[in-house]
Amino acid sequence: MKSIAFGQYYPANSPIHRMDPRAKVILTVLYIVCTFLCRNVLCFAAILLSAVLLCLVSRIPLRMILRSIRPLIMILAFTSLINVFMTKGEHLLTPTWQIPLWGSRVWRIKIYEEGLWNALFMILRIIILLIGTSVLLSYTTTPIALTDALERLFSPLKKIKVPVHDIAMMTTIALRFIPTLMDETQRIMNAQKARGADFSSGGLIRRAKALLPVLVPLLVSAFNRAYELAAAMECRCYHGGEGRTRLKILRLRFSDVFAVMLLVAFGVGIFFLNRQGIGYTMK
Amino acid sequence: MAESFIHAENLSFSYKGQNGADDIPALKGVTLDIQKGEYVAVLGHNGSGKSTFAKLLNLILEPTSGTLIVGGTDLSSGDLPDDELIALRRRVGMVFQNPDNQLVATIVEDDVAFGPENLGVPMPELRRRVDDALAAVGMSEYTDREPHHLSGGQKQRVAIAGIIAMRPECIVFDESTAMLDPLGRREVLDTIRMLNRENGITIINITHYMNEAALADRVIVINDGSILMDGTPDEVFARRNELRAVGLEVPQCAELIYRLREAGIPVRGTEISTVEACADLLSAAFSAEGNHHG
Amino acid sequence: MDKIVLEHVDFVYGTGTPFEHKALSDVSVRIAADRITGVIGHTGSGKSTMMALLNGLEKPTAGKVLLDGYDVNATAKELYADWLKRPEYQNMRKSTAKKAIRAEVEKRRRNLCFRVGLVMQYPEYQLFEETVFKDISYGPKNMGLSEEEIRIRVPEALRFCGLDESLLEKSPFDLSGGQKRRVAIAGVIAMRPEVLVLDEPAAGLDPLGREQIFEKIRQYQRSTHSTVIIVSHSMEDMAEYCDDMVVLAHSGIVAQGSCEEVFSQVSMLDGVGLDIPQITQLMRILRARGIDVPENVYTVEQAAEALKRHFQSLKGTDT
């Protein structure tokens, strides 16, 4: 029950799950770049194929992936409408469509072929972005491994006094306490409901006010937890990132490097495919 | 005197008064010695100063006055160089009350590794320590679980493993069973006993449960910042009226024997800290009575 | 008389997800009015779920929860046929009567949490107001009570919990742990619930604090004649302070009845992950050694009496 609410990690044993998280972060960035490189049908076909392959390799069930798309349906619909109606091009598909308004005024609906293509490409781009990032990162990487990878990737920044370790530590602790605080919120809400609190009726201001009996205790308890945790960490000899060793040593394997190289090659391929004048090319 | 691990003499601590108010004394001149390998329970009601005592032992709080020497290090001044402070906290581990507020990582083994990682324990050794510590508390099969899926007792055992992995000489339990159910409490208490008996770790268990105190070799009762009693569980439980007077109660069986003696029934013997011992005393009393009259 | 009845109640969490979990399975319980009932069970036995069902925080997946014989989760539709025959609705036009019934059902649903007051575990974590007075009046205010009425109820609730009225204008965050706990309980008592449900009211308190809080709960019940339900996993406390007991284990009921009846099944209690009171263990050992003492003894008082009697009988054998 709690796992659904917290994070998206889907435990499985796939090549992607086993990959070095640093490689996955780099791959994700590259993949996003590739998606934005795509300009024509060939490119989108290629990248769609790659997304399907990724899904298969990752062993994430299709319904999980579809579920992550569902909340985006509104955005997808909105983007495609904007593209369909706002793109101006050369091939007008609807020369005769018009809606009478008042008097003799009419509203001419102008949909261009280019608009349809743009809408299709935008939808594909968003979906592929989502599949790419979720399969390469969020579904297959635990939040903690991700934090760890980011800490190491950004560690050169320590030289210019960016507190990389501290930020990573804080992120880890935040991740650790999200489920705890969510449970706590539920408990406090139930406690106040038992005293007749009503969180669901009334206007915006009334509802915000009704949340006060939840937020105050939640903050008080979060501060208490913070104090106790700080004491516990001191008792366990925490003194910043200096001189710390790690239980989990990340090792880039050949396969990780190979995957990155493969994706770079894929990007180069896309770049050249764009130059083929096949069908419509996005601006 | 044999080497005592903890030596306190006239040890006092006061909390600073807020906004110019008077300081609030929490510990008033405590003098005691705890030997290496002892299993000590520190009893007292809420606000008696027992938790303050615990927090002085690894310098979470700094003594206001008096002498405190822990494992050869003098903490009286409350000021230690960083490396000595870290060395002290490695040797004297501490397990707190709320299991949720002392686990740092989102995966059990990462959490257990947190202490030794801070100490800079290098890799093959680190892995071994984590595995050993989890095995010692019987949590090996939960290595890669997330702490928030565990029961209270299991979380607390993970917290203990996190301390053991630092290879401490002494562990202070600050009401570590107060938030657990009977099953979780038993798990933690069994672990504590095992650490004391098999690994020779000095145990200081701060508690207000009498049944827990009965498991220790020695019970120290603190009231109003001073030591009220110091002895074996049997000796302490025998002073039932004094305990009641400071808001504590003896285990049910000890209470029963007290009431029978009050009623003039001659129950002889001093071993009253366990159910079995009490049963022995009572059967002896009854058969004596039976023989006497029979 | 039964105040609360649970009829074949099932409760399933997360239906249709991989985390589906049956928290209660075919649970039937009767809770008598004007008594203190202890509900005991190990963690995960379903006792907290059962509490949430009583005041409408959760609805059963199957089965009924009856308060004074009224199914608290019944919809107006289910009640039409029955209620239309009642004298108060008989003389109305059918559509008016239906509307009235719907309003009545809605009102009962809303009032359920005021009639069955629930004090959750570690209730001190729900305090939020600037003063103790304001915090205790939160519930009564939500009930829509008048200012004067609240001024009567708040100090009364505070007294039931054994706290001094001088605390009323203090901030609840400046109080000691035990005092905070009592203020939180007072916040529920101020709603004057017919049923007061407390989940582990003494958790984390020292022996004196425990004794005081249970003593106050008992005094409250005896003086108001309300129905009190205490949820706990401590058999020692329940044996001491409850009239009746319900034992839950693994999502079902294993025993219910008066304390004597439940404790006469001690052998069964071994297998449900609960601690048997020390005194009961002691008496069992004595029995096993052939000493003639009753087995279902669960308080020090009873044990002392039984052993004194036994001792007298030993003395008496030679005269």
Side-chain angles (χ1 to χ4, degrees):
Chain A
M1 188 168 39
K2 291 166 195 158
S3 295
I4 297 177
F6 168 56
Q8 300 206 293
Y9 180 67
Y10 184 88
N13 187 15
S14 80
I16 302 186
H17 282 83
R18 269 171 282 152
M19 216 177 248
D20 186 314
R22 286 170 299 178
K24 282 193 269 190
V25 171
I26 295 170
L27 283 174
T28 310
V29 174
L30 285 175
Y31 200 77
I32 293 171
V33 172
C34 286
T35 324
F36 278 100
L37 278 178
C38 292
R39 291 263 182 278
N40 64 17
V41 183
L42 267 183
C43 293
F44 274 106
I47 202 151
L48 189 61
L49 188 70
S50 73
V52 172
L53 275 176
L54 277 179
C55 292
L56 290 178
V57 174
S58 70
R59 299 199 187 137
I60 307 284
L62 190 63
R63 61 182 167 83
M64 288 286 291
I65 292 166
L66 291 181
R67 191 159 64 194
S68 67
I69 296 177
R70 203 183 305 153
L72 282 179
I73 284 177
M74 282 306 290
I75 293 176
L76 288 174
F78 188 68
T79 327
S80 47
L81 281 180
I82 295 243
N83 274 293
V84 166
F85 290 106
M86 302 307 247
T87 312
K88 296 216 161 36
E90 287 159 12
H91 305 90
L92 187 63
L93 296 174
T94 57
T96 58
W97 288 19
Q98 55 188 36
I99 294 170
L101 297 172
W102 60 92
S104 60
R105 285 167 181 271
V106 289
W107 178 32
R108 286 182 187 286
I109 297 174
K110 291 178 182 165
I111 295 177
Y112 297 91
E113 194 187 317
E114 288 84 351
L116 289 185
W117 280 116
N118 267 356
L120 177 69
F121 286 169
M122 282 310 288
I123 291 177
L124 278 175
R125 189 176 275 171
I126 294 173
I127 292 180
I128 290 167
L129 268 180
L130 197 78
I131 295 179
T133 48
S134 51
V135 167
L136 279 172
L137 271 185
S138 46
Y139 280 147
T140 56
T141 318
T142 56
I144 202 78
L146 185 60
T147 318
D148 205 13
L150 290 174
E151 180 183 353
R152 280 166 222 233
L153 284 173
F154 287 119
S155 64
L157 293 182
K158 279 178 193 162
K159 291 210 179 71
I160 54 164
K161 305 258 181 218
V162 178
V164 178
H165 167 78
D166 305 56
I167 295 172
M169 194 71 218
M170 284 193 278
T171 318
T172 309
I173 290 172
L175 287 169
R176 153 74 186 80
F177 276 91
I178 286 171
T180 309
L181 289 177
M182 285 201 337
D183 280 358
E184 178 126 11
T185 311
Q186 196 55 53
R187 237 192 342 264
I188 297 173
M189 279 179 90
N190 279 343
Q192 307 299 27
K193 271 191 206 161
R195 297 208 278 166
D198 181 1
F199 300 115
S200 53
S201 65
L204 200 65
I205 294 173
R206 221 186 119 182
R207 277 198 212 189
K209 256 189 159 167
L211 279 179
L212 211 64
V214 178
L215 292 179
V216 174
L218 193 62
L219 266 177
V220 171
S221 120
F223 273 110
N224 279 336
R225 286 181 191 280
Y227 281 124
E228 282 182 30
L229 183 70
M233 284 171 73
E234 277 196 28
C235 283
R236 294 169 73 182
C237 303
Y238 182 69
H239 54 283
E242 219 170 300
R244 287 197 85 209
T245 47
R246 301 308 272 283
L247 175 67
K248 284 174 186 155
I249 295 174
L250 295 180
R251 236 182 238 111
L252 272 182
R253 280 165 308 183
F254 174 71
S255 57
D256 297 319
V257 181
F258 181 73
V260 171
M261 278 161 42
L262 198 68
L263 196 57
V264 170
F266 183 72
V268 173
I270 296 255
F271 184 75
F272 282 107
L273 273 181
N274 271 329
R275 307 200 150 191
Q276 307 296 317
I278 298 168
Y280 171 72
T281 304
M282 235 178 153
K283 293 270 151 34
Chain B
M1 177 177 253
E3 58 165 333
S4 41
F5 186 71
I6 293 169
H7 171 73
E9 213 174 302
N10 219 0
L11 179 65
S12 300
F13 177 84
S14 303
Y15 287 96
K16 285 267 165 294
Q18 305 255 307
N19 311 327
D22 289 343
D23 290 357
I24 305 146
L27 219 53
K28 304 170 188 165
V30 165
T31 299
L32 59 76
D33 279 272
I34 293 175
Q35 310 303 322
K36 231 180 178 141
E38 265 194 287
Y39 181 172
V40 181
V42 179
L43 273 174
H45 60 81
N46 291 344
S48 59
K50 61 187 195 301
S51 270
T52 306
F53 174 67
K55 291 193 171 84
L56 288 169
L57 295 178
N58 64 356
L59 229 51
I60 296 181
L61 297 176
E62 297 166 7
T64 312
S65 67
T67 312
L68 177 62
I69 297 170
V70 177
T73 313
D74 190 348
L75 313 182
S76 313
S77 70
D79 199 26
L80 279 187
D82 278 354
D83 53 334
E84 277 186 47
L85 183 63
I86 288 168
L88 169 74
R89 288 183 174 158
R90 182 197 72 73
R91 298 172 67 192
V92 182
M94 190 140 175
V95 179
F96 293 85
Q97 182 178 48
N98 189 333
D100 271 323
N101 297 352
Q102 50 190 319
L103 301 182
V104 184
T106 51
I107 292 172
V108 166
E109 61 174 359
D110 290 349
D111 189 83
V112 176
F114 182 74
E117 282 178 346
N118 290 331
L119 294 170
V121 176
M123 196 24 205
E125 162 80 6
L126 179 57
R127 178 85 256 168
R128 200 161 47 240
R129 283 198 186 190
V130 170
D131 292 344
D132 289 352
L134 281 168
V137 301
M139 290 292 290
S140 293
E141 53 187 308
Y142 296 92
T143 305
D144 45 17
R145 297 288 186 84
E146 292 167 42
H148 69 270
H149 287 308
L150 304 179
S151 73
Q154 289 172 332
K155 281 183 207 169
Q156 211 58 311
R157 276 148 73 201
V158 171
I160 296 173
I163 299 298
I164 303 176
M166 299 196 296
R167 302 273 155 89
E169 292 157 47
C170 170
I171 304 182
V172 182
F173 292 87
D174 190 4
E175 298 196 35
S176 306
T177 60
M179 296 181 80
L180 304 180
D181 62 0
L183 193 70
R185 194 169 297 154
R186 218 174 304 150
E187 288 171 10
V188 169
L189 290 171
D190 287 348
T191 310
I192 292 178
R193 168 172 292 266
M194 185 276 301
L195 290 175
N196 178 253
R197 294 284 184 269
E198 285 170 29
N199 305 26
I201 296 177
T202 310
I203 301 287
I204 298 172
N205 186 19
I206 315 281
T207 181
H208 51 232
Y209 291 106
M210 283 296 161
N211 296 346
E212 266 179 40
L215 302 172
D217 303 326
R218 174 177 167 196
V219 180
I220 296 172
V221 180
I222 292 190
N223 185 54
D224 195 20
S226 318
I227 294 183
L228 184 71
M229 300 177 204
D230 184 347
T232 63
D234 287 333
E235 287 164 7
V236 168
F237 295 160
R239 298 162 71 178
R240 179 256 186 200
N241 287 339
E242 287 169 77
L243 286 171
R244 295 281 305 178
V246 298
L248 296 169
E249 53 190 13
V250 294
Q252 282 190 328
C253 290
E255 175 74 19
L256 175 68
I257 289 184
Y258 169 84
R259 290 201 194 174
L260 292 178
R261 284 175 179 160
E262 281 285 281
I265 299 176
V267 185
R268 269 172 280 274
T270 54
E271 284 109 44
I272 51 172
S273 62
T274 65
V275 178
E276 289 73 21
C278 287
D280 290 343
L281 292 193
L282 288 171
S283 348
F286 288 136
S287 58
E289 194 61 30
N291 292 338
H292 179 65
H293 293 277
Chain C
M1 212 199 77
D2 294 328
K3 183 75 185 173
I4 291 181
V5 177
L6 266 62
E7 281 180 357
H8 306 288
V9 165
D10 282 352
F11 189 86
V12 184
Y13 278 109
T15 316
T17 70
F19 304 94
E20 189 171 309
H21 165 65
K22 202 161 196 173
L24 290 175
S25 167
D26 195 20
V27 165
S28 294
V29 177
R30 295 174 172 279
I31 287 165
D34 196 5
R35 281 171 87 82
I36 303 180
T37 302
V39 175
I40 56 178
H42 58 91
T43 309
S45 60
K47 56 189 187 338
S48 293
T49 309
M50 195 172 122
M51 296 308 104
L53 289 173
L54 298 185
N55 82 336
L57 278 176
E58 302 281 5
K59 289 184 175 32
T61 316
K64 282 181 182 172
V65 180
L66 306 174
L67 175 62
D68 286 335
Y70 170 79
D71 178 357
V72 298
N73 295 304
T75 61
K77 263 188 193 153
E78 290 163 2
L79 296 173
Y80 285 152
D82 249 16
W83 283 25
L84 285 172
K85 289 180 212 133
R86 292 189 175 186
E88 62 262 45
Y89 300 112
Q90 245 172 6
N91 301 327
M92 292 183 191
R93 284 226 318 261
K94 204 171 169 193
S95 62
T96 323
K98 277 190 171 180
K99 212 184 242 168
I101 292 173
R102 209 159 40 227
E104 175 67 22
V105 169
E106 174 63 18
K107 198 177 104 199
R108 289 189 180 200
R109 193 189 57 76
R110 239 191 355 256
N111 286 341
L112 184 60
C113 68
F114 304 125
R115 295 181 62 197
V116 181
L118 176 59
V119 180
M120 310 263 262
Q121 207 170 354
Y122 298 107
E124 56 273 30
Y125 288 117
Q126 72 194 34
L127 301 175
F128 70 100
E129 277 286 10
E130 296 155 58
T131 66
V132 169
F133 179 87
K134 281 187 184 171
D135 210 291
I136 298 178
S137 47
Y138 180 66
K141 248 187 198 152
N142 284 331
M143 294 171 80
L145 295 178
S146 70
E147 231 14 81
E148 300 108 73
E149 179 69 23
I150 291 176
R151 284 195 183 284
I152 298 169
R153 286 195 181 195
V154 172
E156 174 198 88
L158 206 64
R159 270 197 303 279
F160 271 129
C161 295
L163 290 173
D164 194 76
E165 278 182 41
S166 62
L167 293 182
L168 280 176
E169 290 311 313
K170 281 201 171 177
S171 160
F173 298 105
D174 289 341
L175 306 180
S176 76
Q179 287 176 321
K180 279 187 201 170
R181 172 88 42 104
R182 290 167 189 217
V183 168
I185 296 176
V188 175
I189 285 182
M191 305 191 302
R192 289 195 190 151
E194 297 158 40
V195 182
L196 178 67
V197 187
L198 303 113
D199 193 352
E200 294 286 359
L205 298 181
D206 59 20
L208 190 66
R210 292 179 86 79
E211 202 178 301
Q212 286 172 342
I213 222 141
F214 281 122
E215 229 16 272
K216 287 294 163 200
I217 294 170
R218 177 143 68 187
Q219 283 171 15
Y220 165 81
Q221 194 283 324
R222 299 299 184 239
S223 65
T224 58
H225 298 285
S226 55
T227 305
V228 170
I229 301 172
I230 303 176
V231 184
S232 175
H233 41 229
S234 164
M235 278 219 216
E236 283 184 15
D237 289 340
M238 294 299 96
E240 191 77 38
Y241 293 100
C242 296
D243 306 312
D244 294 335
M245 280 220 279
V246 176
V247 185
L248 271 166
H250 313 295
S251 316
I253 301 286
V254 265
Q256 59 178 315
S258 66
C259 285
E260 293 83 27
E261 287 163 6
V262 169
F263 272 99
S264 64
Q265 308 176 42
V266 249
S267 56
M268 170 272 311
L269 295 177
D270 265 338
V272 297
L274 291 165
D275 267 350
I276 308 235
Q278 238 193 10
I279 210 76
T280 311
Q281 292 176 31
L282 177 75
M283 295 306 259
R284 276 210 250 166
I285 296 177
L286 291 180
R287 258 184 87 84
R289 293 186 183 174
I291 297 171
D292 183 29
V293 287
E295 197 182 7
N296 57 338
V297 163
Y298 46 86
T299 64
V300 176
E301 201 108 347
Q302 293 170 339
E305 285 313 310
L307 289 180
K308 276 183 219 163
R309 247 180 285 124
H310 180 68
F311 196 79
Q312 295 306 328
S313 73
L314 282 181
K315 265 190 166 168
T317 44
D318 62 346
T319 51

